[in-house]
Amino acid sequence: MRRLLPLLLSTAFRLALWCLLTSDLSQLNLLIGLVVALLLPRARSRPLPVRVLLKATLRGLLAIPQAFAEALRLVMAPAMVEREDSEPATDRALPLLVFLDVFRITLTPFTIVLGLEDGGRRYRIHTLTPASKEDSEP
Amino acid sequence: MTVLLWGMVLALLIPIAVACRPSDVWDRLAAFSSVSSKVALIILVVSVMRDDRMLGLVGAIALSAGNAGMLLLANLLRGVER
Amino acid sequence: MAHSLIDHASALLLGAGLVLWFWGTWPLLGTHSYLRKLHALSVADTLGSLLMLLGLLLRIPGQWPLLTLALLGLVVWNTIFGYVLAACSLPPRPHPATEQDSAP
């Protein structure tokens, strides 16, 4: 079952995209979509930890309203500070998890991932934050 | 809606101006990516104004596939610079 | 009544998206550091366009499959492209601006 899960998930994802693109739920169209989804090449599948994956996806979704709040603060800010930072990576074994992390961090306007450092254990992050009072009046 | 469209075209002129003037190649690449997503959004807005589904489909495909080439180009450029 | 309310909400979202577009694209003309321009562009092209797409979605709910696909493509591609641009431009500049920058 654990071996089969990545296959199921990726096929379902591709089928959903197909249905959105064609916006047609007739049986023939679903069949064509299923064939296409199964025939497209896929990455080497390995067991996916579902709970971790769900958690990462949820955090990625939560980043969207947070991104809007940060954008508002940036628009209002009179001055900004740039600096470099780093954050520990959760798991570098699974490319999908790294992708979700990079997506979550880069989506918010305060931070952009510059790459992995320290042998892949930390993300190198560039941040741009509104200057606080002490920063702007030295 | 027409005012909105004019505003969008005005905003589109900024990255085009940046891409046309001599500057760093990375600045240009960023400007081009901005142009691509802005044009796709303008296509979508026009499709809504004219109530044309096919135009909307073009816009959606441009949004979801348009940047892939840019991605490859950026990776290629990095390889060349090294 | 409800119809005009939806129209107003969609106009508000579209206008807000346009404001973010201008705010985020303007720094491209300036002489700020490259990464700072990328931060601004992510505000304009991802978040501004997201607001605009939501405004369009309110206007034509019948086309939701298409607009949802556009939404998904926009958010994922633009974000990842911002990351790729930032990461790829890095090697020739090992230490991009860490100085304090105070714009007016």
Side-chain angles (χ1 to χ4, degrees):
Chain A
M1 185 59 205
R2 280 179 75 82
R3 280 271 165 203
L4 207 60
L5 201 66
L7 178 82
L8 272 180
L9 272 181
S10 70
T11 308
F13 181 66
R14 287 168 185 177
L15 195 58
L17 281 190
W18 174 267
C19 290
L20 282 179
L21 184 63
T22 53
S23 61
D24 177 6
L25 280 181
S26 68
Q27 264 183 2
L28 178 65
N29 192 46
L30 275 181
L31 199 65
I32 297 174
L34 197 62
V35 169
V36 170
L38 283 174
L39 279 185
L40 281 179
R42 62 189 74 241
R44 199 162 51 86
S45 67
R46 58 184 94 174
L48 274 179
V50 181
R51 290 177 65 100
V52 184
L53 198 64
L54 270 182
K55 206 174 146 203
T57 314
L58 197 67
R59 283 177 79 189
L61 285 182
L62 279 182
I64 294 178
Q66 192 195 347
F68 278 110
E70 290 187 0
L72 206 63
R73 279 180 61 197
L74 270 191
V75 172
M76 299 290 177
M80 301 163 204
V81 187
E82 296 177 48
R83 82 169 75 76
E84 275 204 30
D85 227 340
S86 69
E87 182 177 309
T90 46
D91 190 354
R92 68 202 162 99
L94 281 173
L96 190 57
L97 283 185
V98 174
F99 169 82
L100 279 174
D101 263 357
V102 168
F103 173 78
R104 172 176 60 84
I105 297 171
T106 310
L107 179 66
T108 52
F110 282 3
T111 47
I112 286 187
V113 179
L114 294 180
L116 287 163
E117 63 180 5
D118 208 4
R121 277 190 296 274
R122 303 181 73 80
Y123 296 115
R124 192 164 158 214
I125 293 176
H126 183 264
T127 65
L128 175 75
T129 42
S132 55
K133 280 267 163 56
E134 310 87 72
D135 281 340
S136 54
E137 293 161 18
Chain B
M1 262 332 230
T2 318
V3 177
L4 178 85
L5 200 60
W6 277 108
M8 289 170 92
V9 172
L10 265 182
L12 177 65
L13 284 182
I14 300 174
I16 289 182
V18 173
C20 283
R21 73 184 185 183
S23 62
D24 192 27
V25 64
W26 290 106
D27 277 347
R28 282 192 173 182
L29 207 57
F32 273 125
S33 85
S34 176
V35 168
S36 96
S37 57
K38 280 183 170 57
V39 167
L41 244 282
I42 288 177
I43 291 176
L44 274 175
V45 169
V46 170
S47 89
V48 170
M49 280 173 74
R50 304 181 58 153
D51 207 7
D52 188 342
R53 181 169 190 279
M54 282 304 148
L55 213 52
L57 197 59
V58 171
I61 290 177
L63 260 186
S64 45
N67 266 338
M70 285 282 203
L71 236 142
L72 284 178
L73 195 63
N75 272 312
L76 203 67
L77 258 179
R78 182 175 60 165
V80 168
E81 277 192 356
R82 264 179 186 170
Chain C
M1 184 58 205
H3 194 256
S4 80
L5 192 67
I6 286 180
D7 263 6
H8 281 124
S10 119
L12 198 69
L13 281 176
L14 288 170
L18 194 61
V19 169
L20 280 190
W21 264 28
F22 271 110
W23 185 86
T25 320
W26 197 251
L28 269 184
L29 289 169
T31 52
H32 297 301
S33 77
Y34 175 68
L35 285 169
R36 186 167 171 164
K37 289 179 189 173
L38 276 187
H39 280 286
L41 266 188
S42 89
V43 172
D45 283 349
T46 313
L47 299 176
S49 305
L50 195 65
L51 279 184
M52 282 190 176
L53 275 180
L54 285 180
L56 291 183
L57 193 61
L58 279 185
R59 211 164 270 253
I60 42 163
Q63 293 286 342
W64 71 266
L66 199 62
L67 286 179
T68 315
L69 190 69
L71 216 80
L72 216 69
L74 176 85
V75 173
V76 172
W77 273 115
N78 261 345
T79 310
I80 294 307
F81 191 62
Y83 157 67
V84 168
L85 271 185
C88 288
S89 72
L90 208 58
R93 346 166 172 220
H95 289 294
T98 33
E99 83 274 14
Q100 194 164 321
D101 204 341
S102 51

Short mmCIF file of all heavy atoms in Angstrom, two decimals, chain A residues 53-104:
data_model
loop_
_atom_site.label_atom_id
_atom_site.label_comp_id
_atom_site.label_asym_id
_atom_site.label_seq_id
_atom_site.Cartn_x
_atom_site.Cartn_y
_atom_site.Cartn_z
N LEU A 53 3.91 14.99 4.60
CA LEU A 53 3.54 15.64 3.34
C LEU A 53 2.33 16.54 3.54
O LEU A 53 2.30 17.70 3.09
CB LEU A 53 3.23 14.56 2.31
CG LEU A 53 3.23 15.02 0.87
CD1 LEU A 53 4.61 15.47 0.50
CD2 LEU A 53 2.76 13.91 -0.02
N LEU A 54 1.32 16.03 4.24
CA LEU A 54 0.11 16.81 4.49
C LEU A 54 0.44 18.07 5.27
O LEU A 54 -0.04 19.16 4.98
CB LEU A 54 -0.89 15.96 5.28
CG LEU A 54 -1.87 15.15 4.44
CD1 LEU A 54 -2.83 14.42 5.35
CD2 LEU A 54 -2.63 16.07 3.49
N LYS A 55 1.32 17.90 6.28
CA LYS A 55 1.68 19.04 7.11
C LYS A 55 2.39 20.11 6.28
O LYS A 55 2.09 21.31 6.39
CB LYS A 55 2.61 18.55 8.23
CG LYS A 55 2.57 19.42 9.47
CD LYS A 55 3.40 18.81 10.58
CE LYS A 55 4.04 19.88 11.42
NZ LYS A 55 5.22 19.41 12.13
N ALA A 56 3.30 19.67 5.41
CA ALA A 56 4.04 20.63 4.59
C ALA A 56 3.09 21.35 3.63
O ALA A 56 3.20 22.57 3.43
CB ALA A 56 5.15 19.92 3.81
N THR A 57 2.13 20.59 3.05
CA THR A 57 1.18 21.22 2.14
C THR A 57 0.33 22.25 2.86
O THR A 57 0.08 23.36 2.36
CB THR A 57 0.26 20.15 1.54
OG1 THR A 57 1.05 19.05 1.12
CG2 THR A 57 -0.50 20.70 0.37
N LEU A 58 -0.08 21.90 4.08
CA LEU A 58 -0.91 22.82 4.86
C LEU A 58 -0.15 24.09 5.17
O LEU A 58 -0.67 25.21 5.06
CB LEU A 58 -1.34 22.13 6.16
CG LEU A 58 -2.51 22.79 6.88
CD1 LEU A 58 -3.77 22.64 6.05
CD2 LEU A 58 -2.69 22.20 8.26
N ARG A 59 1.13 23.92 5.52
CA ARG A 59 1.93 25.11 5.82
C ARG A 59 2.10 25.98 4.57
O ARG A 59 2.08 27.20 4.65
CB ARG A 59 3.31 24.69 6.34
CG ARG A 59 3.26 24.24 7.78
CD ARG A 59 4.60 23.77 8.23
NE ARG A 59 5.49 24.88 8.56
CZ ARG A 59 6.79 24.73 8.81
NH1 ARG A 59 7.33 23.54 8.75
NH2 ARG A 59 7.52 25.76 9.13
N GLY A 60 2.23 25.32 3.40
CA GLY A 60 2.33 26.07 2.15
C GLY A 60 1.07 26.86 1.87
O GLY A 60 1.13 28.01 1.44
N LEU A 61 -0.09 26.25 2.15
CA LEU A 61 -1.35 26.96 1.93
C LEU A 61 -1.51 28.12 2.91
O LEU A 61 -1.98 29.19 2.54
CB LEU A 61 -2.54 25.98 2.07
CG LEU A 61 -2.72 25.03 0.91
CD1 LEU A 61 -3.93 24.16 1.15
CD2 LEU A 61 -2.91 25.82 -0.38
N LEU A 62 -1.10 27.89 4.15
CA LEU A 62 -1.21 28.95 5.16
C LEU A 62 -0.31 30.13 4.83
O LEU A 62 -0.55 31.25 5.28
CB LEU A 62 -0.85 28.41 6.54
CG LEU A 62 -1.95 27.64 7.25
CD1 LEU A 62 -1.48 27.20 8.62
CD2 LEU A 62 -3.19 28.51 7.39
N ALA A 63 0.74 29.86 4.02
CA ALA A 63 1.68 30.94 3.70
C ALA A 63 1.03 31.99 2.81
O ALA A 63 1.49 33.12 2.76
CB ALA A 63 2.91 30.37 3.00
N ILE A 64 -0.08 31.63 2.11
CA ILE A 64 -0.67 32.59 1.16
C ILE A 64 -1.27 33.80 1.88
O ILE A 64 -0.91 34.94 1.56
CB ILE A 64 -1.69 31.87 0.26
CG1 ILE A 64 -0.95 30.85 -0.62
CG2 ILE A 64 -2.41 32.87 -0.61
CD1 ILE A 64 -1.84 30.05 -1.52
N PRO A 65 -2.17 33.62 2.88
CA PRO A 65 -2.65 34.82 3.59
C PRO A 65 -1.52 35.56 4.30
O PRO A 65 -1.52 36.80 4.32
CB PRO A 65 -3.66 34.25 4.60
CG PRO A 65 -3.53 32.80 4.57
CD PRO A 65 -2.91 32.42 3.29
N GLN A 66 -0.56 34.80 4.82
CA GLN A 66 0.58 35.44 5.48
C GLN A 66 1.35 36.30 4.48
O GLN A 66 1.82 37.40 4.82
CB GLN A 66 1.48 34.35 6.04
CG GLN A 66 2.55 34.86 6.97
CD GLN A 66 3.60 33.79 7.20
OE1 GLN A 66 3.42 32.63 6.86
NE2 GLN A 66 4.72 34.21 7.76
N ALA A 67 1.45 35.82 3.22
CA ALA A 67 2.16 36.59 2.20
C ALA A 67 1.46 37.92 1.96
O ALA A 67 2.11 38.95 1.81
CB ALA A 67 2.22 35.79 0.91
N PHE A 68 0.12 37.91 1.97
CA PHE A 68 -0.59 39.17 1.76
C PHE A 68 -0.37 40.14 2.90
O PHE A 68 -0.18 41.34 2.69
CB PHE A 68 -2.08 38.91 1.55
CG PHE A 68 -2.42 38.51 0.16
CD1 PHE A 68 -2.82 37.23 -0.14
CD2 PHE A 68 -2.29 39.43 -0.86
CE1 PHE A 68 -3.10 36.87 -1.43
CE2 PHE A 68 -2.57 39.09 -2.16
CZ PHE A 68 -2.98 37.80 -2.45
N ALA A 69 -0.35 39.62 4.13
CA ALA A 69 -0.09 40.49 5.28
C ALA A 69 1.29 41.12 5.18
O ALA A 69 1.46 42.34 5.39
CB ALA A 69 -0.21 39.68 6.58
N GLU A 70 2.28 40.30 4.78
CA GLU A 70 3.64 40.83 4.67
C GLU A 70 3.73 41.85 3.55
O GLU A 70 4.44 42.86 3.67
CB GLU A 70 4.62 39.68 4.45
CG GLU A 70 4.76 38.82 5.67
CD GLU A 70 5.86 37.78 5.52
OE1 GLU A 70 6.49 37.76 4.46
OE2 GLU A 70 6.05 37.01 6.46
N ALA A 71 3.02 41.59 2.43
CA ALA A 71 3.05 42.54 1.31
C ALA A 71 2.48 43.88 1.77
O ALA A 71 3.03 44.94 1.46
CB ALA A 71 2.24 42.00 0.14
N LEU A 72 1.40 43.83 2.54
CA LEU A 72 0.79 45.07 3.05
C LEU A 72 1.78 45.83 3.92
O LEU A 72 1.93 47.05 3.81
CB LEU A 72 -0.46 44.72 3.85
CG LEU A 72 -1.51 45.81 3.91
CD1 LEU A 72 -2.04 46.10 2.53
CD2 LEU A 72 -2.63 45.41 4.85
N ARG A 73 2.49 45.09 4.78
CA ARG A 73 3.46 45.76 5.66
C ARG A 73 4.60 46.37 4.86
O ARG A 73 5.11 47.44 5.20
CB ARG A 73 4.01 44.76 6.67
CG ARG A 73 3.06 44.55 7.84
CD ARG A 73 3.61 43.57 8.83
NE ARG A 73 4.87 44.01 9.41
CZ ARG A 73 5.71 43.20 10.05
NH1 ARG A 73 5.40 41.93 10.17
NH2 ARG A 73 6.82 43.65 10.56
N LEU A 74 5.01 45.68 3.77
CA LEU A 74 6.08 46.23 2.93
C LEU A 74 5.63 47.49 2.21
O LEU A 74 6.38 48.46 2.09
CB LEU A 74 6.52 45.19 1.89
CG LEU A 74 7.63 44.23 2.25
CD1 LEU A 74 8.07 43.50 1.00
CD2 LEU A 74 8.80 44.95 2.85
N VAL A 75 4.37 47.48 1.73
CA VAL A 75 3.86 48.65 1.01
C VAL A 75 3.80 49.85 1.95
O VAL A 75 4.11 50.98 1.57
CB VAL A 75 2.47 48.34 0.42
CG1 VAL A 75 1.85 49.59 -0.14
CG2 VAL A 75 2.58 47.30 -0.67
N MET A 76 3.43 49.59 3.21
CA MET A 76 3.30 50.68 4.17
C MET A 76 4.66 51.17 4.69
O MET A 76 4.77 52.28 5.20
CB MET A 76 2.48 50.23 5.39
CG MET A 76 1.07 49.82 5.05
SD MET A 76 0.10 51.24 4.59
CE MET A 76 -1.43 50.47 4.16
N ALA A 77 5.68 50.32 4.56
CA ALA A 77 6.94 50.63 5.25
C ALA A 77 7.65 51.81 4.59
O ALA A 77 7.76 51.86 3.36
CB ALA A 77 7.84 49.41 5.23
N PRO A 78 8.16 52.74 5.38
CA PRO A 78 8.92 53.85 4.81
C PRO A 78 10.34 53.44 4.42
O PRO A 78 10.93 54.00 3.50
CB PRO A 78 8.93 54.88 5.93
CG PRO A 78 8.77 54.09 7.18
CD PRO A 78 7.98 52.87 6.83
N ALA A 79 10.91 52.50 5.15
CA ALA A 79 12.29 52.08 4.86
C ALA A 79 12.39 50.58 5.06
O ALA A 79 11.59 49.98 5.77
CB ALA A 79 13.27 52.78 5.78
N MET A 80 13.38 49.96 4.41
CA MET A 80 13.52 48.50 4.52
C MET A 80 14.96 48.11 4.81
O MET A 80 15.89 48.83 4.48
CB MET A 80 13.09 47.83 3.22
CG MET A 80 11.67 48.15 2.85
SD MET A 80 11.39 47.78 1.15
CE MET A 80 10.04 48.86 0.78
N VAL A 81 15.11 46.96 5.42
CA VAL A 81 16.43 46.44 5.76
C VAL A 81 16.63 45.12 5.03
O VAL A 81 15.73 44.28 5.03
CB VAL A 81 16.54 46.20 7.28
CG1 VAL A 81 17.96 45.82 7.63
CG2 VAL A 81 16.10 47.41 8.04
N GLU A 82 17.81 44.93 4.42
CA GLU A 82 18.12 43.65 3.80
C GLU A 82 19.14 42.92 4.65
O GLU A 82 20.05 43.54 5.20
CB GLU A 82 18.72 43.86 2.41
CG GLU A 82 17.79 44.50 1.43
CD GLU A 82 18.50 44.73 0.11
OE1 GLU A 82 19.15 43.79 -0.37
OE2 GLU A 82 18.42 45.83 -0.42
N ARG A 83 18.99 41.63 4.78
CA ARG A 83 20.05 40.86 5.44
C ARG A 83 19.98 39.41 5.00
O ARG A 83 19.04 39.01 4.32
CB ARG A 83 19.94 40.99 6.95
CG ARG A 83 18.93 40.09 7.63
CD ARG A 83 19.14 40.15 9.12
NE ARG A 83 18.64 41.41 9.68
CZ ARG A 83 17.35 41.69 9.88
NH1 ARG A 83 16.44 40.83 9.51
NH2 ARG A 83 16.97 42.81 10.43
N GLU A 84 21.02 38.66 5.36
CA GLU A 84 21.02 37.25 5.00
C GLU A 84 20.81 36.40 6.22
O GLU A 84 21.30 36.72 7.30
CB GLU A 84 22.33 36.88 4.30
CG GLU A 84 22.26 37.18 2.84
CD GLU A 84 23.23 36.34 2.05
OE1 GLU A 84 23.53 35.21 2.49
OE2 GLU A 84 23.70 36.83 1.02
N ASP A 85 20.13 35.31 6.04
CA ASP A 85 19.69 34.51 7.17
C ASP A 85 19.80 33.05 6.77
O ASP A 85 20.11 32.73 5.64
CB ASP A 85 18.23 34.85 7.46
CG ASP A 85 18.01 35.09 8.93
OD1 ASP A 85 18.86 34.62 9.72
OD2 ASP A 85 17.01 35.73 9.28
N SER A 86 19.54 32.18 7.72
CA SER A 86 19.43 30.78 7.33
C SER A 86 18.43 30.09 8.23
O SER A 86 18.13 30.54 9.33
CB SER A 86 20.79 30.09 7.43
OG SER A 86 21.16 29.98 8.78
N GLU A 87 17.88 29.01 7.69
CA GLU A 87 16.85 28.29 8.43
C GLU A 87 17.10 26.80 8.26
O GLU A 87 17.46 26.36 7.17
CB GLU A 87 15.47 28.65 7.84
CG GLU A 87 14.33 27.99 8.55
CD GLU A 87 12.99 28.45 7.98
OE1 GLU A 87 12.79 29.66 7.89
OE2 GLU A 87 12.16 27.59 7.65
N PRO A 88 16.95 26.03 9.34
CA PRO A 88 17.20 24.59 9.18
C PRO A 88 16.20 23.94 8.26
O PRO A 88 15.01 24.23 8.29
CB PRO A 88 17.05 24.06 10.62
CG PRO A 88 16.27 25.10 11.33
CD PRO A 88 16.61 26.41 10.70
N ALA A 89 16.70 23.07 7.38
CA ALA A 89 15.82 22.34 6.47
C ALA A 89 15.17 21.19 7.21
O ALA A 89 15.79 20.56 8.07
CB ALA A 89 16.63 21.81 5.29
N THR A 90 13.89 20.92 6.89
CA THR A 90 13.20 19.86 7.61
C THR A 90 13.70 18.49 7.18
O THR A 90 14.05 17.67 8.01
CB THR A 90 11.69 19.95 7.37
OG1 THR A 90 11.47 20.16 5.98
CG2 THR A 90 11.10 21.09 8.16
N ASP A 91 13.72 18.28 5.87
CA ASP A 91 14.11 16.95 5.39
C ASP A 91 14.62 17.10 3.97
O ASP A 91 13.93 17.62 3.11
CB ASP A 91 12.88 16.02 5.41
CG ASP A 91 13.30 14.60 5.16
OD1 ASP A 91 14.50 14.38 4.88
OD2 ASP A 91 12.44 13.72 5.25
N ARG A 92 15.86 16.66 3.75
CA ARG A 92 16.37 16.83 2.39
C ARG A 92 16.34 15.53 1.62
O ARG A 92 16.78 15.46 0.49
CB ARG A 92 17.78 17.40 2.42
CG ARG A 92 18.81 16.47 2.97
CD ARG A 92 20.01 17.24 3.46
NE ARG A 92 20.80 16.44 4.36
CZ ARG A 92 21.89 15.80 3.97
NH1 ARG A 92 22.29 15.87 2.73
NH2 ARG A 92 22.58 15.09 4.82
N ALA A 93 15.81 14.47 2.25
CA ALA A 93 15.79 13.18 1.57
C ALA A 93 14.74 13.19 0.46
O ALA A 93 14.93 12.57 -0.58
CB ALA A 93 15.51 12.06 2.56
N LEU A 94 13.62 13.89 0.69
CA LEU A 94 12.55 13.87 -0.28
C LEU A 94 12.52 15.16 -1.08
O LEU A 94 12.31 16.23 -0.51
CB LEU A 94 11.20 13.70 0.43
CG LEU A 94 10.88 12.28 0.86
CD1 LEU A 94 9.63 12.26 1.70
CD2 LEU A 94 10.72 11.40 -0.35
N PRO A 95 12.72 15.07 -2.38
CA PRO A 95 12.70 16.29 -3.20
C PRO A 95 11.38 17.05 -3.09
O PRO A 95 11.36 18.28 -3.10
CB PRO A 95 12.89 15.76 -4.63
CG PRO A 95 13.48 14.41 -4.48
CD PRO A 95 13.01 13.88 -3.17
N LEU A 96 10.27 16.31 -2.94
CA LEU A 96 8.96 16.96 -2.87
C LEU A 96 8.87 17.86 -1.64
O LEU A 96 8.34 18.97 -1.69
CB LEU A 96 7.87 15.90 -2.85
CG LEU A 96 6.45 16.41 -3.00
CD1 LEU A 96 6.32 17.19 -4.30
CD2 LEU A 96 5.46 15.28 -2.98
N LEU A 97 9.42 17.37 -0.52
CA LEU A 97 9.36 18.16 0.71
C LEU A 97 10.22 19.41 0.58
O LEU A 97 9.83 20.50 1.02
CB LEU A 97 9.82 17.32 1.90
CG LEU A 97 8.81 16.32 2.42
CD1 LEU A 97 9.34 15.64 3.66
CD2 LEU A 97 7.51 17.02 2.74
N VAL A 98 11.40 19.26 -0.03
CA VAL A 98 12.26 20.42 -0.23
C VAL A 98 11.55 21.43 -1.12
O VAL A 98 11.56 22.64 -0.85
CB VAL A 98 13.60 19.98 -0.86
CG1 VAL A 98 14.44 21.19 -1.21
CG2 VAL A 98 14.35 19.10 0.10
N PHE A 99 10.88 20.92 -2.16
CA PHE A 99 10.14 21.80 -3.05
C PHE A 99 9.08 22.59 -2.28
O PHE A 99 8.94 23.80 -2.43
CB PHE A 99 9.49 20.97 -4.15
CG PHE A 99 8.49 21.70 -4.98
CD1 PHE A 99 8.91 22.51 -6.01
CD2 PHE A 99 7.14 21.61 -4.70
CE1 PHE A 99 7.98 23.21 -6.77
CE2 PHE A 99 6.21 22.30 -5.45
CZ PHE A 99 6.64 23.10 -6.48
N LEU A 100 8.32 21.88 -1.43
CA LEU A 100 7.26 22.56 -0.68
C LEU A 100 7.83 23.61 0.25
O LEU A 100 7.27 24.70 0.41
CB LEU A 100 6.45 21.53 0.11
CG LEU A 100 5.40 20.80 -0.70
CD1 LEU A 100 4.75 19.70 0.12
CD2 LEU A 100 4.34 21.75 -1.19
N ASP A 101 8.99 23.30 0.87
CA ASP A 101 9.62 24.25 1.77
C ASP A 101 10.06 25.50 1.01
O ASP A 101 9.81 26.63 1.45
CB ASP A 101 10.83 23.61 2.45
CG ASP A 101 10.48 23.10 3.82
OD1 ASP A 101 9.33 23.32 4.22
OD2 ASP A 101 11.33 22.49 4.47
N VAL A 102 10.74 25.27 -0.13
CA VAL A 102 11.21 26.40 -0.93
C VAL A 102 10.03 27.25 -1.38
O VAL A 102 10.06 28.49 -1.32
CB VAL A 102 12.01 25.89 -2.15
CG1 VAL A 102 12.25 27.01 -3.14
CG2 VAL A 102 13.33 25.33 -1.70
N PHE A 103 8.96 26.57 -1.78
CA PHE A 103 7.76 27.29 -2.19
C PHE A 103 7.21 28.16 -1.06
O PHE A 103 6.93 29.34 -1.23
CB PHE A 103 6.70 26.28 -2.63
CG PHE A 103 5.37 26.88 -2.93
CD1 PHE A 103 5.15 27.54 -4.13
CD2 PHE A 103 4.33 26.80 -2.02
CE1 PHE A 103 3.93 28.11 -4.40
CE2 PHE A 103 3.10 27.36 -2.29
CZ PHE A 103 2.91 28.02 -3.48
N ARG A 104 7.14 27.58 0.14
CA ARG A 104 6.56 28.29 1.27
C ARG A 104 7.41 29.51 1.64
O ARG A 104 6.88 30.59 1.92
CB ARG A 104 6.48 27.34 2.47
CG ARG A 104 6.08 27.97 3.77
CD ARG A 104 5.94 26.91 4.83
NE ARG A 104 7.18 26.17 5.05
CZ ARG A 104 8.15 26.60 5.85
NH1 ARG A 104 8.03 27.74 6.48
NH2 ARG A 104 9.24 25.89 6.02
#
